[in-house]
Structures are given as C-alpha cells and as structure tokens.
C-alpha cells in the first residue's frame, strides 16, 4: 500500500529540509513538521513512522522514487 502524502505536508518538509541544508533549522519548524506528520498519519490511518519515512524519502531523495 502506497503512503498518501498531502501537498501541505510535502511543502512543510521541503521548507524544513531547506532550513536544515542552510544550517538554520529551528525547533519551531521541526516541531511543526512533526505535528503535521502525526496529524496526517492519524487522519489517514497510516503509520506515523511510515509517513515520515516516505515524506523524507520523497523530499530528500526524489530520484529514488522516480520523482
């Protein structure tokens, strides 16, 4: 079963990843992403761990998923 990710969740992770790459990731940004992952997983009945892993893979390694 494919993990469903919302556009909002992807954009939050992209912003956090950009901050991390620039060495300016804040606790607030990281917490916002984690809260969104948890809420999305609960709302869609998916594993939080699997949602987070799929999200990071999509954003950080898009070529691996054919993206």
């Amino acid at each position: 079963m494919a993990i469903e990710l919302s556009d909002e969740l992807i954009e939050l992770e992209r912003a956090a990843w950009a901050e991390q790459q620039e060495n300016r990731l804040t606790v607030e940004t990281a917490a916002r992403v984690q809260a969104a992952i948890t809420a999305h997983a609960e709302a869609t009945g998916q594993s939080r761990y699997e949602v987070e892993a799929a999200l990071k893979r999509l954003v950080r390694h898009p070529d691996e998923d054919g993206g």
Side-chain angles (χ1 to χ4, degrees):
M1 179 168 114
I3 298 295
E4 297 175 25
L5 301 171
S6 68
D7 291 340
E8 178 184 358
L9 196 55
I10 293 167
E11 288 307 312
L12 279 172
E13 178 62 23
R14 283 184 177 147
W17 180 237
E19 286 184 19
Q20 187 172 352
Q21 293 295 98
E22 297 169 0
N23 202 30
R24 61 180 183 87
L25 180 65
T26 64
V27 171
E28 293 80 16
T29 299
R32 189 168 39 250
V33 172
Q34 286 300 308
I37 288 169
T38 300
H40 179 78
E42 289 175 356
T44 60
Q46 301 177 98
S47 160
R48 189 206 60 78
Y49 173 79
E50 290 177 3
V51 168
E52 182 174 4
L55 180 62
K56 287 184 177 185
R57 190 170 41 252
L58 175 73
V59 171
R60 298 176 186 195
H61 308 286
D63 294 336
E64 292 180 10
D65 285 335

